[in-house]
Amino acid sequence: MRLPIVFPLLLAVFASNAHAAPPTQVFVLGSLYSRHKTVESYDLDALRRVVQAIDPDVVVVDCTPTEIREQKVHISKIEYPQVIFPLVQQHGYRVYAGEPDEPLFTQIVQPLAQERSAFAKAKPEQARALDDYEEATWSALELHWRSPADAHDETTALALAGRKALDTRVYGELQAQGNKRWIEHWVRIVRQSVAENPGKKILAVPGIDNRAEIERELRGDSNLTLVDMAQSIWRSEERRVGKECR
């Protein structure tokens, strides 16, 4: 006697699943700021190709709401006026600000900036050593990178994590808390974009320094599918090369 009731319910469940939104894919793509000018394997043209291959519906950018509204960014963020903003205008991506606006921006950034300035004055030789280490890290990574995919691999993540760990060792709790609040804000905005755009492709574009941490915080979130960025780039490059060889 129950079959006539259960069968329509099963049909309703299957119909509901058939019309369910596809998983919301999230791509976390690290950008290099002004280093895009000097890193041949990941220059602005390469960045443009990666974004176009992803073909996102939504972009979370490494800008404040004010920077997005005014289309004016810090001078180091060359990828925005030259690549990201033009693509937004061309394709009509929905845009979210990954960086906080004032006063939160200053609340996070200023204490650490003051601590670094004080350290440089009190211990100039040690400060120069840290600067040399940072430049050496970037130079070594540039040797490692043969493709934008390499900038998103485990070797890059470990190298940049080591640099951050050293900063935390030197600058202490201010560095740790500032970094934590910055990553938490970024992750919250990405999750907001996912909640407001179910089934869409979300492209998050943080600075390469923060990429792996943001990705780690998003991993395991049942509301999204985190795309392996290195593999995604390799596949798109293989398709592009294949077309060029035909």
Side-chain angles (χ1 to χ4, degrees):
M1 294 295 293
R2 293 181 179 178
L3 287 177
I5 298 174
V6 173
F7 189 65
L9 287 174
L10 289 173
L11 287 177
V13 170
F14 287 129
S16 175
N17 289 338
H19 292 90
T24 303
Q25 292 183 304
V26 174
F27 301 75
V28 185
L29 176 68
S31 70
L32 305 182
Y33 299 160
S34 59
R35 295 182 190 278
H36 281 294
K37 290 189 295 187
T38 58
V39 179
E40 185 177 351
S41 61
Y42 193 13
D43 60 10
L44 291 172
D45 287 336
L47 175 65
R48 185 180 295 106
R49 287 195 301 270
V50 172
V51 175
Q52 290 176 319
I54 293 170
D55 190 24
D57 302 293
V58 177
V59 181
V60 185
V61 296
D62 204 28
C63 303
T64 66
T66 298
E67 287 178 319
I68 293 173
R69 186 168 57 252
E70 297 179 354
Q71 298 284 284
K72 295 179 181 178
V73 297
H74 188 273
I75 192 171
S76 65
K77 298 179 181 180
I78 65 170
E79 62 268 51
Y80 285 93
Q82 297 189 51
V83 176
I84 303 297
F85 288 160
L87 288 176
V88 167
Q89 294 170 359
Q90 181 181 351
H91 298 283
Y93 307 144
R94 187 175 184 181
V95 181
Y96 288 77
E99 290 188 352
D101 220 338
E102 296 295 353
L104 182 58
F105 184 97
T106 296
Q107 290 171 3
I108 295 174
V109 172
Q110 191 175 64
L112 181 58
Q114 291 173 341
E115 175 67 18
R116 287 174 177 266
S117 178
F119 181 85
K121 290 178 181 178
K123 301 179 179 180
E125 290 186 10
Q126 290 91 328
R128 283 194 294 272
L130 288 173
D131 290 341
D132 290 344
Y133 175 67
E134 179 173 359
E135 286 306 311
T137 300
W138 289 113
S139 296
L141 284 173
E142 188 172 349
L143 288 174
H144 167 60
W145 294 339
R146 295 291 183 268
S147 154
D150 296 326
H152 296 79
D153 67 9
E154 187 67 14
T155 298
T156 297
L158 287 171
L160 295 177
R163 191 174 62 81
K164 270 197 177 186
L166 181 60
D167 281 347
T168 299
R169 178 70 174 174
V170 172
Y171 300 113
E173 192 64 19
L174 279 176
Q175 170 72 31
Q177 285 301 315
N179 185 70
K180 181 174 182 289
R181 293 180 71 187
W182 195 264
I183 298 300
E184 285 177 346
H185 182 84
W186 246 100
V187 170
R188 182 176 65 79
I189 298 301
V190 173
R191 285 179 170 148
Q192 177 187 341
S193 73
V194 169
E196 294 176 359
N197 301 275
K200 303 295 185 180
K201 280 196 285 188
I202 313 288
L203 172 61
V205 193
I208 194 75
D209 290 67
N210 296 321
R211 192 199 76 84
E213 288 178 273
I214 291 169
E215 197 174 66
R216 185 175 65 244
E217 292 298 317
L218 293 170
R219 190 169 288 116
D221 190 325
S222 60
N223 295 312
L224 57 90
T225 298
L226 194 61
V227 176
D228 184 317
M229 203 65 250
Q231 289 298 319
S232 175
I233 295 171
W234 277 123
R235 286 194 294 269
S236 67
E237 288 186 338
E238 287 175 352
R239 289 193 296 270
R240 180 175 62 84
V241 172
K243 289 179 181 179
E244 292 175 352
C245 293
R246 290 175 186 173

mmCIF file of all heavy atoms in Angstrom, residues 133 137 141 151-165 211-212:
data_model
loop_
_atom_site.group_PDB
_atom_site.id
_atom_site.type_symbol
_atom_site.label_atom_id
_atom_site.label_comp_id
_atom_site.label_asym_id
_atom_site.label_seq_id
_atom_site.Cartn_x
_atom_site.Cartn_y
_atom_site.Cartn_z
ATOM 1 N N TYR A 133 67.178 38.417 2.113
ATOM 2 C CA TYR A 133 66.570 37.082 2.089
ATOM 3 C C TYR A 133 65.301 37.085 1.247
ATOM 4 O O TYR A 133 65.054 36.154 0.460
ATOM 5 C CB TYR A 133 66.255 36.634 3.520
ATOM 6 C CG TYR A 133 65.504 35.323 3.612
ATOM 7 C CD1 TYR A 133 66.109 34.134 3.232
ATOM 8 C CD2 TYR A 133 64.194 35.282 4.079
ATOM 9 C CE1 TYR A 133 65.435 32.925 3.316
ATOM 10 C CE2 TYR A 133 63.504 34.075 4.160
ATOM 11 C CZ TYR A 133 64.125 32.904 3.782
ATOM 12 O OH TYR A 133 63.444 31.727 3.850
ATOM 13 N N THR A 137 64.729 34.968 -2.132
ATOM 14 C CA THR A 137 63.611 34.023 -2.275
ATOM 15 C C THR A 137 62.916 34.213 -3.612
ATOM 16 O O THR A 137 62.655 33.247 -4.344
ATOM 17 C CB THR A 137 62.594 34.205 -1.129
ATOM 18 O OG1 THR A 137 63.246 33.967 0.122
ATOM 19 C CG2 THR A 137 61.424 33.248 -1.283
ATOM 20 N N LEU A 141 62.754 31.605 -6.748
ATOM 21 C CA LEU A 141 61.471 31.154 -7.295
ATOM 22 C C LEU A 141 61.386 31.435 -8.792
ATOM 23 O O LEU A 141 60.842 30.628 -9.549
ATOM 24 C CB LEU A 141 60.313 31.834 -6.557
ATOM 25 C CG LEU A 141 60.016 31.291 -5.162
ATOM 26 C CD1 LEU A 141 58.974 32.156 -4.456
ATOM 27 C CD2 LEU A 141 59.532 29.840 -5.226
ATOM 28 N N ALA A 151 54.125 28.588 -10.310
ATOM 29 C CA ALA A 151 53.910 29.572 -9.243
ATOM 30 C C ALA A 151 52.801 29.135 -8.294
ATOM 31 O O ALA A 151 52.595 29.759 -7.248
ATOM 32 C CB ALA A 151 53.569 30.928 -9.850
ATOM 33 N N HIS A 152 52.114 28.053 -8.648
ATOM 34 C CA HIS A 152 51.005 27.558 -7.826
ATOM 35 C C HIS A 152 51.256 26.145 -7.314
ATOM 36 O O HIS A 152 50.329 25.458 -6.889
ATOM 37 C CB HIS A 152 49.706 27.605 -8.643
ATOM 38 C CG HIS A 152 49.304 29.005 -9.015
ATOM 39 N ND1 HIS A 152 49.897 29.687 -10.052
ATOM 40 C CD2 HIS A 152 48.409 29.856 -8.460
ATOM 41 C CE1 HIS A 152 49.381 30.900 -10.123
ATOM 42 N NE2 HIS A 152 48.478 31.027 -9.170
ATOM 43 N N ASP A 153 52.537 25.730 -7.334
ATOM 44 C CA ASP A 153 52.836 24.377 -6.876
ATOM 45 C C ASP A 153 53.293 24.368 -5.424
ATOM 46 O O ASP A 153 53.407 25.414 -4.771
ATOM 47 C CB ASP A 153 53.851 23.689 -7.801
ATOM 48 C CG ASP A 153 55.249 24.336 -7.743
ATOM 49 O OD1 ASP A 153 55.482 25.198 -6.872
ATOM 50 O OD2 ASP A 153 56.100 23.953 -8.571
ATOM 51 N N GLU A 154 53.577 23.176 -4.914
ATOM 52 C CA GLU A 154 53.935 23.013 -3.505
ATOM 53 C C GLU A 154 55.298 23.639 -3.193
ATOM 54 O O GLU A 154 55.504 24.170 -2.095
ATOM 55 C CB GLU A 154 53.943 21.519 -3.150
ATOM 56 C CG GLU A 154 54.147 21.229 -1.672
ATOM 57 C CD GLU A 154 52.987 21.700 -0.810
ATOM 58 O OE1 GLU A 154 51.910 22.014 -1.361
ATOM 59 O OE2 GLU A 154 53.171 21.780 0.420
ATOM 60 N N THR A 155 56.218 23.590 -4.142
ATOM 61 C CA THR A 155 57.534 24.188 -3.916
ATOM 62 C C THR A 155 57.419 25.685 -3.647
ATOM 63 O O THR A 155 58.028 26.223 -2.715
ATOM 64 C CB THR A 155 58.445 23.945 -5.140
ATOM 65 O OG1 THR A 155 58.625 22.538 -5.314
ATOM 66 C CG2 THR A 155 59.797 24.612 -4.963
ATOM 67 N N THR A 156 56.627 26.360 -4.457
ATOM 68 C CA THR A 156 56.411 27.792 -4.265
ATOM 69 C C THR A 156 55.734 28.066 -2.931
ATOM 70 O O THR A 156 56.130 28.974 -2.185
ATOM 71 C CB THR A 156 55.565 28.364 -5.409
ATOM 72 O OG1 THR A 156 56.285 28.217 -6.643
ATOM 73 C CG2 THR A 156 55.237 29.830 -5.184
ATOM 74 N N ALA A 157 54.715 27.283 -2.616
ATOM 75 C CA ALA A 157 53.991 27.473 -1.355
ATOM 76 C C ALA A 157 54.917 27.319 -0.151
ATOM 77 O O ALA A 157 54.865 28.108 0.804
ATOM 78 C CB ALA A 157 52.824 26.488 -1.268
ATOM 79 N N LEU A 158 55.781 26.316 -0.198
ATOM 80 C CA LEU A 158 56.704 26.077 0.919
ATOM 81 C C LEU A 158 57.724 27.204 1.049
ATOM 82 O O LEU A 158 58.051 27.643 2.158
ATOM 83 C CB LEU A 158 57.405 24.738 0.731
ATOM 84 C CG LEU A 158 56.552 23.487 0.960
ATOM 85 C CD1 LEU A 158 57.305 22.238 0.521
ATOM 86 C CD2 LEU A 158 56.139 23.373 2.424
ATOM 87 N N ALA A 159 58.241 27.675 -0.081
ATOM 88 C CA ALA A 159 59.237 28.753 -0.045
ATOM 89 C C ALA A 159 58.645 30.021 0.552
ATOM 90 O O ALA A 159 59.266 30.681 1.400
ATOM 91 C CB ALA A 159 59.763 29.028 -1.454
ATOM 92 N N LEU A 160 57.434 30.371 0.140
ATOM 93 C CA LEU A 160 56.801 31.584 0.650
ATOM 94 C C LEU A 160 56.343 31.413 2.090
ATOM 95 O O LEU A 160 56.383 32.365 2.884
ATOM 96 C CB LEU A 160 55.633 31.980 -0.255
ATOM 97 C CG LEU A 160 56.040 32.391 -1.687
ATOM 98 C CD1 LEU A 160 54.810 32.693 -2.523
ATOM 99 C CD2 LEU A 160 56.969 33.608 -1.650
ATOM 100 N N ALA A 161 55.936 30.203 2.454
ATOM 101 C CA ALA A 161 55.559 29.940 3.852
ATOM 102 C C ALA A 161 56.772 30.081 4.764
ATOM 103 O O ALA A 161 56.666 30.591 5.888
ATOM 104 C CB ALA A 161 54.952 28.542 3.986
ATOM 105 N N GLY A 162 57.940 29.643 4.289
ATOM 106 C CA GLY A 162 59.154 29.782 5.074
ATOM 107 C C GLY A 162 59.507 31.233 5.314
ATOM 108 O O GLY A 162 59.927 31.615 6.426
ATOM 109 N N ARG A 163 59.332 32.065 4.297
ATOM 110 C CA ARG A 163 59.614 33.497 4.450
ATOM 111 C C ARG A 163 58.659 34.126 5.459
ATOM 112 O O ARG A 163 59.060 34.946 6.293
ATOM 113 C CB ARG A 163 59.506 34.198 3.098
ATOM 114 C CG ARG A 163 60.039 35.617 3.103
ATOM 115 C CD ARG A 163 60.046 36.191 1.702
ATOM 116 N NE ARG A 163 58.711 36.273 1.155
ATOM 117 C CZ ARG A 163 57.849 37.250 1.436
ATOM 118 N NH1 ARG A 163 58.178 38.207 2.285
ATOM 119 N NH2 ARG A 163 56.668 37.277 0.875
ATOM 120 N N LYS A 164 57.394 33.735 5.390
ATOM 121 C CA LYS A 164 56.422 34.260 6.355
ATOM 122 C C LYS A 164 56.737 33.791 7.774
ATOM 123 O O LYS A 164 56.588 34.547 8.739
ATOM 124 C CB LYS A 164 55.001 33.825 5.975
ATOM 125 C CG LYS A 164 54.278 34.781 5.058
ATOM 126 C CD LYS A 164 52.788 34.495 5.064
ATOM 127 C CE LYS A 164 52.041 35.491 4.222
ATOM 128 N NZ LYS A 164 50.570 35.324 4.318
ATOM 129 N N ALA A 165 57.156 32.551 7.894
ATOM 130 C CA ALA A 165 57.487 32.018 9.226
ATOM 131 C C ALA A 165 58.652 32.791 9.837
ATOM 132 O O ALA A 165 58.666 33.066 11.047
ATOM 133 C CB ALA A 165 57.818 30.535 9.123
ATOM 134 N N ARG A 211 48.217 33.199 -1.233
ATOM 135 C CA ARG A 211 47.393 32.260 -1.978
ATOM 136 C C ARG A 211 47.223 30.918 -1.277
ATOM 137 O O ARG A 211 46.105 30.419 -1.109
ATOM 138 C CB ARG A 211 47.985 32.042 -3.376
ATOM 139 C CG ARG A 211 47.062 31.314 -4.334
ATOM 140 C CD ARG A 211 47.819 30.715 -5.498
ATOM 141 N NE ARG A 211 48.526 29.517 -5.079
ATOM 142 C CZ ARG A 211 47.951 28.314 -5.016
ATOM 143 N NH1 ARG A 211 46.675 28.142 -5.321
ATOM 144 N NH2 ARG A 211 48.652 27.264 -4.644
ATOM 145 N N ALA A 212 48.327 30.302 -0.869
ATOM 146 C CA ALA A 212 48.266 28.952 -0.300
ATOM 147 C C ALA A 212 47.487 28.933 1.010
ATOM 148 O O ALA A 212 46.744 27.975 1.284
ATOM 149 C CB ALA A 212 49.670 28.401 -0.081
#
